[in-house]
């Protein structure tokens, strides 16, 4: 339970500042501090058992199928990091109370900070590697929010995005590494993985895994060449820098190196990748730090350098080096956090961080200056301070390794060079800021900070001194247990004494101190040399890179997707040609051996007419009216084909749909140009012709292949059961209203919806009403020719009669509700054509959308009625009744269903055609009318 | 099978088919739109009547039924053919189609075209 | 004998249809084309009735009836379109 | 001339009769059931459709009407034979013409029947009835209207006009009493 | 027989009709409430159905009491039930959002919305290939009509493309159906799976042609490269609730792929087994990458979200091609996650656009949103989830996807492209977020505020991401169970066609 | 006959596809209509051709396959609904966008495009 609370309390703590938002700033700070303080207390309560080597474990099932169980694991390493996170976190909370101004939203800051703390604790306490990743990414997110806290500053936004991009990318690599790791080890539990070091290192995927893993660690820990995000993250408020960029987040990568040390280290590859990266980073960071004029910039590069140092230590594949690494983690956290906070104080109280302007601050803030001097000295590795101890160990370790064979001496040499730089920039930090003449152009007079703002710095500096003097007493146990965890129990002999006698490491330290002082004294030449080099503005480069990436993406995307439907269609059809054509090519023979029906002259004539008129439609497609007439012939021939090949129902439907379509197209042509301009380039026409021919050839061949193959189908069932089970002799109709009635229900729904959609399309459409036809003739004078009007009125009853006839016979003979509905609708449309909208509206004022709804409802309810009899939806019913005089009659539920179809069709057709017709009248569809 | 009926069927079918064909020949042969209109309007209608009569007789040959519903198609064609012709010739007037050269009553044609298209002056009488 | 007659008439109707198509393609004016199409519709009725005779089946009657109706309505609609542009006004 | 029907439930009796017959034609049956349906529909459909009908003069002389129909039928057959000959004959010898016939009839229904009869019979096609009275205000007097016809082969214009007026227009005036 | 299976289709249908008729028809409030209540009820029904099926196993409903393979059947298995629940959940969010005023910007919003649901649910439930076509058409026609809701030039332009492409797609669907019917002689999916095993060699390639044509159709619906072109403009221009609902539309394509290519051409299909995989794999990867590039390239936020949809589609399709239980389980989990979160993003985009004045959702400096804290928080949460960052559901989805690829051919391609596209998405989202909320020009604030119903809608959809995370254990188990059921083709055939005898 | 039938289907498809590839809405509508004819005939043909088998019970002894006919009926109706929607959409696009190009705007001529990129 204990370990859980260490994580849970800060998590709950994210809410505290939000809840206290209305309270005073101090209360907010104290309230926020309460949760981590309590967590710290719990952590301290476990000291005994952790130091004794116990591993506290807690586990809950979460996603067993992914191998992701919530596991908390507190060992020495986790203890060390938790301690750093919580303790320094508390100091930061206190510090931030004074650092943040009135304009800054304190609840937001504290909430983000607590979120970050939770994430960090999550990483170090996790006992499951997927869970580690979960918290790992959470640190990226929360640090993004913290870096961009002053979002109105452009460099804050950019810095945050840069950090997120780099660490996010690294996080993805880490995920891949973890998945590989889990897969190799057969478990995602940390404990299992740490035991499988040998297995993992022998696996063929180990190199890939390691590279991915290190990419994750190095990006987070700002190792070269990913280091550049860290200086740019300095746009964040200083408490953030002090916390994230010195003590915690940048250490997350280091933490992982330490955490997986037993499983991954010890190989040649590990050494090469880790130690060389660390060494490079150590040098690059130290060198660049010297030339930064920004206080925080200098600290940032120094952090990079120290992180490189720690990385190098872990890369040396030596147990003692690992111990030194752990030790330096502690020391770096203390002195760097205090330095950042002190820098923040200077910034806060003097209004600047530019060391070219900050001079002689000793006279204004002696206490702060003293504190900073001590911390800087610790950073430089001055004896009696904690930094000296770990640096000493570091030097010793660089001397112990023989990894580069005969060239192994390079490592201690370069380490010393880095140390010289380290001393030089530390010296600059002190001298340039606190002495070196008078301040230049500061906006306010610097002064000491409030009492409690300095307190965190004081505490940390005190620790630097105390650890420096009595290391074994103060951090002996901590280091011991942490190092033991890193080394999986194989702790080497080592001593934390201040004095190891005169030895090579001490000499290296001395050289570093002396060299550093000398270098600082001679800094002028170095600075001149550096300023002669071309400056590298990483932020701008990154921004430019991102812009180029975006622009490149845009260009590529627009090149692929140029917004032209013709291209989309061509691609769709090409896909068709390839996918449908390939199997055809693989086929042995197209024909399937089924005997063909002989061709007769009449059918040949029909086919010829069909082909000619289809061809004519294409040829004349730009003369739209002519094309329409030609395609009517095609439609007519198709209907005749249906009749010829024993499908009277199809012919009827095709014919009735045909007429409605022609009316529709005629209506539409009024609002569209009558001619299509010639626009396609010849090459495009050729391409289209080719594509169309290929599609045609494939479809025709497929059809031929099917028709000439023998066949067995479920249709025999329909023929056998139409009369006995469906009560009708027209099998097609019985299929429609009974066997597959659900299709029909969907089909009339489509029709109804289309009608609604069309009404919607016509609502409030801007009318464009041509005053003359395509040739420029004004329209004819007579709106409603007399003969047509009279005849249309006489045809109506006839058509109604025919449609009733067609309706009722449908079940047993060709016909049915759909065709009947279209006949009725056409008869009414004929009235619209011959008499106009006003005339019809005066005699019949129906909202057709309601007719559609009623029709659908009838069909729907017919289906539902079968539930009353405990039957599935749409179960049909029919029976024969013997009536006196009339004889036998059949009643069937199919009739009711067909009635629904009929009403829907009438409603939908009229809604479509009449709405379109009404566009030029005072009854135009508007939205209000419908409301 | 009733022999007489069979003859009747053959007769009417042949008669109808001939007239239908003649109507279409007219459509192709005649020199201008107005003369072309006559064939399809009249000959074809009659031809259809013949074929439909043939069909009526044919289906009446089978013993149990008297098939007369083809009458309905005939009625329909008789009602609609003049209207179609009327609409077509109105369109032709509106489009000012030329009549073949030796057509008599040129002014009547002109006047008809004028009335088809003229806007306004609705009560004007077609007097010279 | 009847079968031969029916085939003969089939031939006549087919020829008539082709003639219609010729006029439809040839034009020259739109009314000419519409007239040709209207005639084609009517001739198709004959064709379908003949199919009915050939099959000895009355199932084709409705298709013929329907063509009579749609031929008329589409002809009227196209003419109205050419006359007034707006077919429902 | 009478424009309003005798029975409101049976506004158009001849049309009802026609529908009654058509229903029986369609179903090809004289069974009691169909007779019953035919009656219902013959009454019901005209009743529904009556609102979609402009008032027209009613047939006052049904006998005459029947005779007129038979005459037109006979004319169709003879006229068609003539037209067939003309179509197959030499095209050059045709004497096409446009002719204008003054109209005595005024109402839409008789005019329509006249125009239709003319279209179906002797080598003539009705082209137009003008002027149109569509835009006429209700109080304006009706102008003299004309029937424009196209003749395929015209012999004598006056004779043709006289034939049409006497053979078709006069009986229609009689039938509708207008 | 359990009528419950049919309710997800019938309920929205009836609701749509009732909304069009008096007395509901008359008042906007009544229309809204009926629509919302009905959708909530739909969710309840879907969940109950899911629980029932989980207990009883696969169940089917024979419409008209005509037994398969002759009649049309609706099949409820875990996969379809999960999709039903997803749709209802999403729809409730979308309809709530729409009821805050968007619905009155054009006619028939609620009926069309319900019709759309009917079509979608029908497509999920049907066990008949032609009936699937019909429901596709129902949902398509409703989507056409919804797409133009509230009007505007962009909508019209996008709709023209969308409609024409889909009409072509429908034609291909019909051709494919005809080929399959003409060779297999049946339309029932389970029966087709059975008939495929008895196919004469002569017909093999014909069936393959039909199947690959179906692949085109579903790829078009799912928006797989090179058939994805309709998607960005369509989704970016649609009215917010419509776009949110559309988030599930591409998933219908993925679902159909899963259904057809694991059942009909599943393990029993012999030489035709898994015939789509070699196509789906590369094109899925390409789609994913293109979507990620699109996220970077997008000049406005809605287009960015539309491209996020593409990314998710690409990931799903690749996994469909992997064709193992873990992959299909991942597909299911990830589908639910990505659909809901994309829906939430579309709604959120609308809220942001409304508050940014003229700039709308374009990624340029503009006036500050009125409620930066609220919208910003929502944005961050949505972004975290959709980018696959922890702790929201996206991260679980991503882990599932990556894990499922273990052992697949070309696993590293998938990993590389998936991770790369994740990075690109992260970059794109951080750019979008910082532009939308932080690049402020002028101090003028808009007056628009988020309405309660709108807020509810976004929170509702976002809460899904949280629930998917918290209950990830049982939900992944459910996904695996569903995937196992899906893969058990022989079992499916046995339960639908019990008389079909023992298969080879 | 099957050959002829397949030829017609293929030719109609090709014509329809060609028209659907045009740049204006109206030819696309016409092309779509043509393609629908082809597709309907194709579905119909999947039940194999039969000259003498209208599926009305009691009128024949070898019936055509009724199922494709029913499918075609559904396809015709749905096709009609879709065509209608597309037609009206074309009108709407013309009204909203001022032209009847499928992309809602005239594509710039090629040489003009090249100049712009220069
Ligand atoms: Na200075
Ligand atoms: Na109009």
């Amino acid at each position: 339970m204990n370990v859980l609370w260490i994580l849970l309390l800060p998590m709950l703590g994210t809410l505290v500042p939000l809840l206290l938002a209305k309270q005073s700033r101090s209360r907010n700070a104290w309230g926020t501090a309460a949760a981590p303080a309590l967590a710290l207390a719990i952590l301290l309560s476990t000291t005994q058992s952790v130091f004794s080597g116990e591993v506290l474990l807690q586990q809950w099932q979460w996603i067993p199928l992914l191998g992701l169980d919530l596991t908390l694991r507190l060992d020495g390493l986790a203890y060390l990091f938790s301690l750093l996170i919580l303790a320094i976190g508390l100091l930061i909370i206190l510090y931030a109370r004074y650092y943040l101004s009135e304009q800054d939203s304190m609840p937001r800051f504290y909430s983000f900070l607590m979120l970050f703390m939770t994430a960090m604790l999550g990483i170090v306490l996790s006992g499951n590697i997927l869970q580690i990743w979960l918290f790992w990414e959470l640190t990226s997110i929360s640090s993004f929010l913290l870096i961009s806290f002053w979002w109105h500053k452009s460099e804050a936004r950019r810095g945050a995005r840069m950090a997120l991009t780099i660490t996010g990318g690294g996080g993805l690599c880490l995920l891949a590494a973890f998945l590989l790791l889990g897969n190799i080890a057969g478990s995602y539990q940390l404990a299992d993985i740490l035991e499988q070091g040998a297995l993992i290192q022998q696996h063929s995927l180990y190199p890939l895994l390691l590279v991915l893993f290190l990419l994750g660690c190095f990006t987070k820990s700002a190792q070269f060449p990913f280091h550049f995000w860290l200086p740019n993250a300095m746009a964040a408020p200083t408490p953030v820098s002090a916390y994230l960029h010195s003590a915690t987040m940048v250490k997350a990568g280091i933490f992982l190196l330490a955490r997986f040390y037993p499983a991954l280290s010890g190989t040649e590859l590990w050494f090469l990748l880790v130690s060389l990266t660390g060494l490079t980073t150590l040098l690059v960071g130290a060198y660049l730090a010297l030339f930064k004029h920004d206080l925080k910039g200098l600290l940032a590069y120094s952090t990079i350098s120290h992180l490189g140092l720690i990385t190098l230590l872990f890369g040396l594949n030596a147990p003692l080096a690992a111990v030194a690494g752990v030790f330096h983690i502690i020391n770096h956290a203390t002195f760097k956090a205090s330095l950042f906070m002190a820098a923040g104080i200077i910034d806060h109280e003097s209004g600047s961080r530019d060391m070219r302007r900050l001079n002689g601050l000793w006279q204004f803030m002696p206490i702060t200056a003293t504190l900073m001097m001590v911390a800087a000295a610790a950073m430089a590795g001055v004896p009696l301070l904690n930094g000296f101890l770990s640096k000493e160990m570091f030097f010793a370790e660089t001397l112990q390794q023989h990894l580069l064979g005969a060239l192994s001496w390079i490592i201690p040499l370069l380490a010393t060079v880095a140390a010289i730089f380290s001393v030089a920039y530390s010296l600059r930090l002190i001298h340039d800021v606190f002495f070196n003449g008078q301040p230049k152009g500061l906006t306010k007079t610097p002064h000491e900070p409030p009492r409690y703002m300095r307190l965190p710095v004081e505490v940390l500096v005190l620790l630097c001194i105390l650890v420096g003097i009595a290391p074994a007493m103060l951090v002996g146990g901590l280091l011991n247990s942490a190092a033991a965890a890193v080394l999986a129990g194989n702790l080497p002999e080592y001593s934390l004494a201040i004095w190891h006698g005169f030895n090579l490491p001490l000499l290296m330290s001395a050289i570093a101190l002396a060299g550093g002082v000398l270098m600082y004294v001679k800094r002028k030449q170095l600075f001149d040399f550096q300023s002669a080099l071309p400056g590298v503005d990483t932020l701008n480069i990154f921004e430019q890179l991102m812009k180029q990436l975006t622009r490149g993406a845009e260009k590529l995307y627009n090149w692929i997707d140029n917004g032209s439907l013709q291209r989309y269609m061509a691609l769709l059809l090409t896909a068709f040609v390839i996918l449908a054509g390939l199997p055809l090519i693989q086929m042995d023979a197209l024909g399937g051996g089924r005997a063909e029906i002989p061709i007769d002259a009449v059918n040949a004539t029909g086919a010829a007419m069909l082909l000619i008129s289809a061809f004519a439609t294409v040829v004349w497609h730009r003369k739209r009216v002519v094309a329409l007439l030609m395609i009517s012939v095609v439609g007519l021939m198709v209907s005749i084909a249906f009749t010829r090949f024993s499908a009277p129902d199809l012919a009827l439907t095709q014919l009735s749909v045909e007429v409605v379509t022609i009316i529709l197209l005629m209506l539409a042509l009024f609002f569209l140009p009558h001619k299509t301009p010639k626009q396609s380039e010849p090459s495009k026409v050729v391409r289209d012709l080719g594509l169309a021919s290929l599609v045609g050839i494939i479809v025709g061949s497929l059809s031929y292949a099917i028709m000439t193959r023998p066949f067995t189908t479920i249709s025999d069932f329909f023929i056998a059961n139409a009369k006995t089970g469906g009560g009708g002799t027209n099998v097609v109709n019985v299929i429609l209203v009974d066997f597959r009635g659900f299709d029909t229900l969907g089909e009339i729904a489509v029709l109804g919806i289309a009608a609604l959609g069309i009404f919607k399309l016509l609502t409030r459409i801007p009318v464009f009403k041509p005053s003359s036809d395509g040739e420029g003739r004004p329209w004819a004078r007579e709106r409603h020719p007399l003969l047509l009007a009279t005849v249309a009125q006489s045809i109506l009853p006839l058509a109604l009669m025919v449609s009733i006839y067609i309706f009722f016979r449908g079940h047993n003979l060709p016909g049915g509700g759909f065709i009947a509905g279209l006949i009725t609708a056409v008869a009414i449309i004929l009235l619209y054509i011959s008499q106009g909208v006003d005339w019809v509206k005066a005699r019949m004022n129906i909202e057709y959308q309601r007719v559609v709804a009623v029709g659908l409802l009838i069909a729907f309810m017919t289906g539902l009625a079968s539930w009353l009899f405990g039957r599935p939806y749409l179960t049909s019913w029919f029976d024969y009744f013997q009536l006196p005089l009339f004889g036998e009659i059949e009643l069937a539920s199919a009739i009711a269903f067909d009635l629904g179809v009929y009403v829907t069709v009438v409603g939908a057709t009229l809604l479509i055609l009449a709405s379109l017709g009404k566009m030029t009248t005072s009854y135009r569809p508007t939205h209000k009318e419908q409301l | 099978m009733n022999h007489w009926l069979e003859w009747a069927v053959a007769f009417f079918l042949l008669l109808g088919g001939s007239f239908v064909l003649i109507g279409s020949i007219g459509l192709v042969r005649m020199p201008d739109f107005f003369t072309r209109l006559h064939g399809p309007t009249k000959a074809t209608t009659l031809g259809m009547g013949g074929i439909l009569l043939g069909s009526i007789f044919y289906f009446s040959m089978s013993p149990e039924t008297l098939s007369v519903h083809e009458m309905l198609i005939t009625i329909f064609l008789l009602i609609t053919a003049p209207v179609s012709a009327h609409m077509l010739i109105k369109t032709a007037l509106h489009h000012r189609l030329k009549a073949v050269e030796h057509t008599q009553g040129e002014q009547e044609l002109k006047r008809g075209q004028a009335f088809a298209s003229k806007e306004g002056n609705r009560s004007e009488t077609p007097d010279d | 004998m009847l079968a031969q007659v029916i085939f003969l008439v089939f031939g006549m109707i087919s020829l008539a249809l082709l003639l219609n198509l010729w006029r439809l393609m040839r034009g020259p004016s739109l009314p000419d084309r519409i007239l040709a199409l209207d005639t084609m519709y009517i001739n198709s009725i004959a064709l379908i009735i003949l199919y009915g005779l050939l099959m000895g089946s009355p199932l084709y009657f409705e298709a013929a009836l329907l063509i009579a109706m749609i031929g008329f309505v589409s002809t009227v609609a196209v003419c109205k379109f050419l006359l007034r542009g707006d077919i429902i006004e | 001339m009478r424009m309003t029907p005798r029975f409101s439930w049976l506004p158009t009796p001849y049309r009802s009769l026609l529908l009654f017959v058509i229903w029986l034609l369609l179903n090809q049956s004289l069974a009691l059931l169909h007779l019953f349906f035919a009656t219902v529909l013959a009454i019901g459909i005209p009743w529904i459709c009556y609102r979609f009908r402009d008032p027209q003069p009613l047939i006052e002389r049904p006998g005459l009407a029947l005779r007129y129909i038979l005459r037109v039928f006979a004319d169709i057959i003879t006229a068609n034979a003539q037209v067939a000959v003309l179509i197959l004959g030499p095209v050059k010898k045709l004497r096409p013409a446009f002719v204008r016939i003054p109209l005595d009839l005024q109402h839409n229904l008789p005019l329509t029947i006249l125009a239709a009869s003319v279209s179906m019979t002797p080598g003539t096609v009705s082209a137009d009835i003008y002027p149109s009275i569509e835009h006429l205000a209700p109080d304006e007097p009706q102008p003299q209207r004309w029937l424009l016809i196209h003749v395929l082969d015209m012999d004598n214009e006056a004779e043709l006009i006289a034939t049409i007026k006497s053979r078709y227009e006069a009986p229609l005036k009689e039938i509708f009493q207008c | 027989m359990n009528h419950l299976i049919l309710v997800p289709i019938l309920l929205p249908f009836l609701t749509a009709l009732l909304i069009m008729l008096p007395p509901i028809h008359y008042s906007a409030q009544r229309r809204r409430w009926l629509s919302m209540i009905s959708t909530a009820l739909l969710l309840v029904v879907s969940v109950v159905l899911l629980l029932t099926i989980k207990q009883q196993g696969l169940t089917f409903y024979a419409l008209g009491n005509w037994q398969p393979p002759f009649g049309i059947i609706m099949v409820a298995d875990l996969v379809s039930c999960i999709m039903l629940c997803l749709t209802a959940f999403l729809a409730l969010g979308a309809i709530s959002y729409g009821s805050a005023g968007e619905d009155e910007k054009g006619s028939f919003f609620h009926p069309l919305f319900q019709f759309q649901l009917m079509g979608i649910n029908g497509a999920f439930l049907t066990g008949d290939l032609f009936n699937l076509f019909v429901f596709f058409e129902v949902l398509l026609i409703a989507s056409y009509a919804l797409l133009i809701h509230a009007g505007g030039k962009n909508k019209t332009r996008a709709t023209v493309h969308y409609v024409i492409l889909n009409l072509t797609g429908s034609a291909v669907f019909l051709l494919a159906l005809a080929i399959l019917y003409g060779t297999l002689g049946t339309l029932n999916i389970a029966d087709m799976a059975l008939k495929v095993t008895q196919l004469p060699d002569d017909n093999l390639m014909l069936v393959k042609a039909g199947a690959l044509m179906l692949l085109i159709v579903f790829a078009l619906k799912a928006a797989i490269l090179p058939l994805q072109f309709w998607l960005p403009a369509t989704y970016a221009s649609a009215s917010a609730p419509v776009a949110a609902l559309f988030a599930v539309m591409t998933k219908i394509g993925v679902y159909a792929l899963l259904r057809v290519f694991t059942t009909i051409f599943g393990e029993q299909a012999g030489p035709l087994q898994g015939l789509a995989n070699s196509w789906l794999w590369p094109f899925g990867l390409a789609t994913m990458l293109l979507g990620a590039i699109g996220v970077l390239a997008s000049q406005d936020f809605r287009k960015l979200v539309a491209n996020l949809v593409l990314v998710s589609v690409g990931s799903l399709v690749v996994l469909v091609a992997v064709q193992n239980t873990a992959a299909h389980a991942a597909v299911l989990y990830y589908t639910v996650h990505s659909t809901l979160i994309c829906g939430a993003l579309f709604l959120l985009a609308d809220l942001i656009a409304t508050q940014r004045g003229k700039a709308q959702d374009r990624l340029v400096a503009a006036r500050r949103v009125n409620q930066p804290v609220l919208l910003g928080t929502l944005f961050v949460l949505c972004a975290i989830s959709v980018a696959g960052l922890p702790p929201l559901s996206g991260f679980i989805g991503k882990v599932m996807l990556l894990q499922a690829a273990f052992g697949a051919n070309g696993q590293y391609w998938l990993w590389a492209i998936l991770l790369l596209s994740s990075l690109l998405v992260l970059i794109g989202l951080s750019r979008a977020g910082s532009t939308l909320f932080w690049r402020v020009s002028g101090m003028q604030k808009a007056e628009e505020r988020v309405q309660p119903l709108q807020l509810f809608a976004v929170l509702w959809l976002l809460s899904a991401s949280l629930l998917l995370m918290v209950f990830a254990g049982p939900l992944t188990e459910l996904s695996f169970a569903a995937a196992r059921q899906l893969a058990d083709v022989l079992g499916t055939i046995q339960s639908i066609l019990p008389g079909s005898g023992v298969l080879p | 006959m099957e050959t002829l039938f397949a030829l017609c289907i293929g030719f109609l498809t090709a014509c329809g596809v060609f028209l659907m590839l045009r740049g204006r809405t109206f030819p696309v509508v016409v092309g779509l209509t043509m393609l629908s004819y082809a597709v309907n005939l194709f579905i119909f043909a999947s039940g194999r051709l039969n000259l003498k088998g209208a599926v009305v019970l009691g009128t024949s002894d070898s019936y055509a396959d009724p199922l494709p006919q029913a499918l075609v009926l559904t396809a015709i109706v749905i096709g009609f609904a879709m065509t209608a929607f597309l037609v009206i959409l074309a009108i709407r696009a013309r009204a909203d966008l001022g032209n009847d190009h499928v992309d809602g705007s005239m594509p710039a001529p090629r040489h003009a495009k090249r100049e712009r990129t220069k």
Side-chain angles (χ1 to χ4, degrees), chain A residues 355-356 358-359 432-433:
Chain A
M355 282 186 280
R356 283 164 301 188
L358 296 169
N359 293 314
D432 209 350
V433 173

Side-chain angles (χ1 to χ4, degrees), chain A residues 781-791 793-798 800-802 804-805 808 831 835 839-840 842-845 883-886 888-889, chain D residues 15 18-20 22-23 26-27 32-33 36 38 41-42 45-46 48-49 51-54 56 108-109 111-112 115-116 126 128-129 131-132 134-135 145:
Chain A
R781 185 170 176 218
E782 203 174 12
R783 298 174 70 190
H784 307 301
L786 181 153
L787 252 71
L788 177 60
T790 317
V791 168
Q793 289 171 19
S794 321
I795 285 180
L796 181 67
L798 229 60
L800 281 184
M801 173 96 70
V802 170
I804 291 170
Y805 166 70
F808 277 110
L831 283 183
Q835 303 279 19
W839 189 91
V840 178
R843 285 158 179 81
M844 176 174 65
N845 195 0
L883 288 186
L885 297 176
F886 288 159
E888 188 185 71
I889 61 163
Chain D
R15 182 181 277 188
L18 183 68
L19 289 176
F20 182 83
I22 285 178
W23 182 258
L26 280 170
N27 288 287
L32 202 53
L33 185 69
F36 171 73
L41 292 173
I45 290 178
I48 293 169
C49 292
R51 50 195 295 136
F52 296 105
R53 190 171 186 273
D54 290 324
Q56 303 288 358
N108 285 1
L109 183 61
L111 274 175
T112 303
S126 307
D128 206 358
I129 296 171
S132 158
E134 204 176 37
H135 306 278
R145 294 212 273 173

Side-chain angles (χ1 to χ4, degrees), chain E residues 36-58:
Chain E
M36 277 161 65
I37 290 170
S38 161
T39 313
L41 206 61
L42 184 65
L43 179 61
V44 174
V45 169
S46 305
V47 172
V48 171
L49 187 60
L50 175 69
L51 297 177
T52 317
I53 295 305
K54 200 169 169 233
Q55 234 160 34
Q56 296 179 353
L58 181 144

Side-chain angles (χ1 to χ4, degrees), chain D residues 86-173:
Chain D
L86 289 174
I87 286 174
L88 294 174
V91 174
K92 288 273 159 68
K93 285 199 180 161
L94 288 179
R95 292 161 297 174
F98 279 96
V99 176
R100 156 172 75 132
I101 300 165
L103 291 170
D104 295 339
L105 291 168
Q106 281 187 338
H107 294 91
N108 285 1
L109 183 61
L111 274 175
T112 303
I113 294 174
L114 174 65
S117 310
V118 169
S119 284
M120 298 312 292
T121 50
T124 51
V125 174
S126 307
D128 206 358
I129 296 171
Y130 58 79
S132 158
I133 55 166
E134 204 176 37
H135 306 278
L136 219 59
D139 51 343
E140 258 176 289
Q142 278 222 1
Q144 166 67 48
R145 294 212 273 173
W146 307 79
L147 177 67
L148 177 67
I149 62 175
H150 181 263
V151 194
L152 188 57
D153 186 52
M154 189 171 73
D155 217 3
N156 179 338
E157 181 172 353
E159 193 183 319
L160 180 76
I161 295 175
T163 313
I164 287 173
K165 284 196 78 76
S166 63
R167 200 168 167 80
Y168 302 116
E169 193 184 25
L172 283 172
K173 283 182 79 170

